[in-house]
Amino acid sequence: VKQRRPSAQQLGAFQKLITQTFGLLYDDDKLSTLEEVLMRRCQRQRSSLEDYLRRLPGEPAELRVLAQELTVGETYFFRHGEQMGAYLEEAVPRRNAVRGDRPLQVLSAGCSTGEEPYSLAILARLAGLAETETSFLGLDLNAASLQKARSGRYSLWSLRETPRELKERWFLQQGSDFVLDPSIVSSVEFRECNLLSAAPDLWQSDRFDIIFCRNMLMYFGQSQARQVVQRLVRSLAHGGYLFLGHAETLRGLSDELELFNSHHCFYYRKPPRGTRPGHSWSARTPGESSPEPLPLHCSETLDEDWMETIRAASERILRMSHAPELPSPGEAPGLHEILELQESERYGEALAALRTLPPEVKAQPETVLLEAVLLVHLSQYHLTEQLCRQLLEGAHCAAGAHYLLGLCQEGHGQQQAAVAEHRAAVRLDPSFAMPRLHLGLLARKAKDLPTARRELEQAMLLLQGESPSRLRLYGGGFGREALLDLCRSELQALPLPGAGRRRR
Ligand SMILES: C[S@@+](CC[C@H](N)C(=O)[O-])C[C@H]1O[C@@H](n2cnc3c(N)ncnc32)[C@H](O)[C@@H]1O
């Protein structure tokens, strides 16, 4: 029997229940995903919509299924290498120095399939800590992800950012799998846990030395994010460190921690007992010795307009989610080679290879996106536009699609329309560096110098944390350093802001 579609009221009730139970916020433009899951689960359970929705809050087994359906588990080893550097060179040594004879306690909240806590465990070993001197805990809502985490078995895709020496030292290749060293697997405990649920044994105050909670809060509603952050802050030791995802911030969620900046990344520290939070900006570069980060107030070092831009961007991202935009080579044979051709700017060959893929692979949104990227580089703007509209209609890869539409408009010489598309991309994903870079370049052309400066500065900041896969896809053959150099030279070419520039 064909499942009836839910009414707006039923869908609204489901949406609310999901946000209240798991924290996950589905904006109105993502309701089609929720609707599809709701209809499928009703059909599976042979329940009417009314019955399903009435019973759902009291059905933990069904809620667990929904958690597995609705969470985004994108992760990989040594994700955001700059933060890994700050963890290794700043957080671990400082907390190790004060831990006494208890183990260093590290939490990965929202650990997905385990790559994050395992990376932290490997790095702690590199810092000279023995297994008995550390305790790693990974928490996640998704039971299937945790099961995979416990197996310690990964595909090459999970190791895409893992340096070769670490891969060789800590993984054993078995067929196409990479099996993690058993001493690392046994050093991490995994626990199924909804971070919104009370678990008094877990959230004791001052328990953890270091907490990673990355790329989870950005999927949350504001009040649920605040609730989780309060819990994390309470259980973080004084002097302990909190790392959020590179596009996430505590603004509007907590002012109890101080912000640090070193190793080209941001992170937080709970002030040592008896001190109050200030914003601390360490001017240290990686590899230097590790002095106490300088306690400077941020307004002394940063332009406040710039801070405001980051704040606004960060708040927006808390209300949004974005899907990983690159296909896994393991899942789509042949794509790896196409990406390599694309990276070496052999767009025609890449397009020809892409067109030989099986139809079901070609129809995947990620492949459509890749085709659109290739076409835009071949100046085939009308075809690119068709594919982007197709993606947008299906609500897939929307930020990327708008960015590519922006490039098409630039190609047509339509500067204003290009700005509108790039802005749409930024609205959908404030952590996306490339549209910011183009907004900066377009503003410079239009002689709007304050906007040019702001966008280029923001692009520089975001480029430092931009994911390698997204850089490969959208960087137009330029690597991170080349794009950063471009921003730098564009910024240097701008006239300095006038002495009478307004400061808030
Ligand atoms: C995108 S992954 C992030 C993985 C890893 N932290 C990283 O940055 O690579 C987000 C994870 O948060 C988990 N999650 C979402 N809501 C949660 C909740 N209420 N409680 C616990 N985990 C949750 C999801 O299951 C998913 O595995």
Side-chain angles (χ1 to χ4, degrees):
V1 188
K2 197 164 180 304
Q3 177 61 49
R4 190 162 54 84
R5 287 187 65 175
S7 65
Q9 199 188 15
Q10 286 169 326
L11 192 54
F14 187 54
Q15 178 189 21
K16 193 164 159 199
L17 182 82
I18 294 300
T19 305
Q20 284 175 346
T21 311
F22 304 133
L24 305 173
L25 184 68
Y26 278 77
D27 283 340
D28 289 347
D29 60 346
K30 299 249 164 50
L31 282 185
S32 56
T33 311
L34 274 189
E35 179 173 349
E36 189 267 316
V37 171
L38 174 58
M39 286 167 63
R40 188 153 36 78
R41 292 308 305 166
C42 282
Q43 197 152 30
R44 187 70 192 258
Q45 298 270 311
R46 298 177 198 283
S47 287
S48 68
L49 282 159
E50 295 72 15
D51 200 33
Y52 182 84
L53 288 171
R54 185 162 26 79
R55 284 190 293 110
L56 185 55
E59 300 254 353
E62 182 60 17
L63 286 170
R64 285 177 90 207
V65 174
L66 286 177
Q68 292 177 31
E69 293 257 359
L70 296 172
T71 47
V72 176
E74 166 68 0
T75 185
Y76 46 91
F77 280 93
F78 304 103
R79 183 177 197 175
H80 197 354
E82 293 82 359
Q83 286 191 337
M84 293 287 147
Y87 163 80
L88 178 67
E89 293 181 357
E90 185 85 39
V92 169
R94 286 193 190 283
R95 293 308 298 167
N96 190 39
V98 295
R99 78 180 161 85
D101 48 15
R102 64 170 182 82
L104 187 81
Q105 301 273 347
V106 182
L107 172 67
S108 164
C111 66
S112 188
T113 38
E115 287 88 332
E116 181 177 273
Y118 285 142
S119 303
L120 302 176
I122 291 174
L123 291 176
R125 291 290 186 83
L126 292 185
L129 288 168
E131 197 180 334
T132 49
E133 294 174 307
T134 53
S135 159
F136 292 91
L137 177 63
L139 302 176
D140 205 281
L141 181 62
N142 187 326
S145 297
L146 293 174
Q147 202 177 344
K148 180 165 170 20
R150 290 187 190 102
S151 77
R153 193 173 263 274
Y154 293 93
S155 73
L156 189 56
W157 189 237
S158 286
L159 277 76
R160 59 192 182 269
E161 284 291 299
T162 304
R164 190 167 51 84
E165 314 78 67
L166 294 184
K167 204 188 293 174
E168 286 170 2
R169 166 69 186 85
W170 299 103
F171 295 86
L172 185 67
Q173 187 162 7
Q174 281 183 359
S176 59
D177 284 352
F178 288 79
V179 179
L180 182 56
D181 190 296
S183 74
I184 298 293
V185 175
S186 63
S187 69
V188 181
E189 182 196 342
F190 291 99
R191 177 164 160 180
E192 188 179 336
C193 165
N194 181 349
L195 286 157
L196 279 170
S197 310
D201 64 313
L202 201 58
W203 303 116
Q204 299 140 9
S205 54
D206 284 348
R207 170 171 177 179
F208 296 107
D209 292 290
I210 302 169
I211 298 179
F212 273 67
C213 180
R214 301 189 303 168
N215 306 304
M216 183 183 76
L217 296 176
M218 66 188 195
Y219 298 105
F220 274 35
Q222 182 84 353
S223 91
Q224 288 76 19
R226 195 172 294 135
Q227 214 176 311
V228 169
V229 163
Q230 269 174 12
R231 197 159 270 167
L232 297 179
V233 168
R234 192 172 346 111
S235 66
L236 185 63
H238 285 272
Y241 293 83
L242 170 68
F243 291 83
L244 298 182
H246 71 80
E248 295 167 327
T249 170
L250 286 185
R251 286 268 172 158
L253 300 178
S254 167
D255 55 10
E256 292 177 62
L257 304 193
E258 50 196 2
L259 183 60
F260 275 65
N261 170 230
S262 75
H263 299 77
H264 301 292
C265 68
F266 294 92
Y267 49 98
Y268 294 89
R269 186 179 76 165
K270 188 160 167 178
R273 218 177 269 286
T275 62
R276 282 160 51 78
H279 292 287
S280 300
W281 299 90
S282 162
R284 194 158 68 83
T285 50
E288 281 179 357
S289 62
S290 181
E292 183 67 25
L294 297 171
L296 297 175
H297 191 270
C298 60
S299 63
E300 292 172 33
T301 49
L302 283 179
D303 177 62
E304 290 174 24
D305 287 348
W306 190 68
M307 288 299 288
E308 181 58 23
T309 310
I310 297 172
R311 188 193 62 73
S314 308
E315 274 179 8
R316 279 200 304 276
I317 203 161
L318 283 172
R319 283 182 241 111
M320 265 166 224
S321 58
H322 61 271
E325 291 189 332
L326 262 186
S328 146
E331 288 158 18
L335 278 177
H336 193 60
E337 291 75 24
I338 299 169
L339 284 170
E340 276 177 1
L341 286 170
Q342 181 241 347
E343 230 186 331
S344 44
E345 299 177 59
R346 290 153 66 187
Y347 302 118
E349 285 166 71
L351 190 63
L354 186 141
R355 289 186 169 157
T356 65
L357 289 171
E360 64 279 10
V361 178
K362 261 195 301 191
Q364 282 177 15
E366 293 82 1
T367 320
V368 175
L369 183 74
L370 180 55
E371 188 174 356
V373 167
L374 298 173
L375 285 167
V376 86
H377 284 300
L378 294 165
S379 308
Q380 306 245 12
Y381 301 125
H382 291 296
L383 285 178
T384 312
E385 282 161 350
Q386 270 176 21
L387 294 182
C388 290
R389 306 244 171 263
Q390 184 184 323
L391 287 169
L392 291 172
E393 270 162 31
H396 296 297
C397 314
H402 278 294
Y403 169 62
L404 295 178
L405 285 172
L407 296 186
C408 292
Q409 294 296 355
E410 287 186 48
H412 294 315
Q414 301 292 333
Q415 316 272 323
Q416 275 187 352
V419 167
E421 295 293 353
H422 291 317
R423 289 217 176 285
V426 167
R427 253 196 320 280
L428 284 163
D429 183 352
S431 71
F432 193 1
M434 290 307 290
R436 293 263 182 210
L437 172 51
H438 280 259
L439 283 169
L441 298 176
L442 287 166
R444 189 173 69 78
K445 263 194 206 154
K447 305 219 174 344
D448 176 358
L449 300 185
T451 305
R453 179 171 297 281
R454 197 178 60 235
E455 296 294 354
L456 288 167
E457 283 173 346
Q458 180 74 342
M460 274 191 80
L461 182 83
L462 293 173
L463 276 169
Q464 290 168 32
E466 186 61 286
S467 80
S469 58
R470 205 150 67 163
L471 278 176
R472 282 176 86 190
L473 189 63
Y474 297 113
F478 291 98
R480 193 187 310 274
E481 284 312 316
L483 291 166
L484 282 168
D485 278 350
L486 172 67
C487 290
R488 253 179 237 119
S489 59
E490 288 289 332
L491 276 166
Q492 275 163 9
L494 293 178
L496 285 172
R501 185 160 173 240
R502 184 175 64 92
R503 290 183 68 92
R504 270 175 289 156

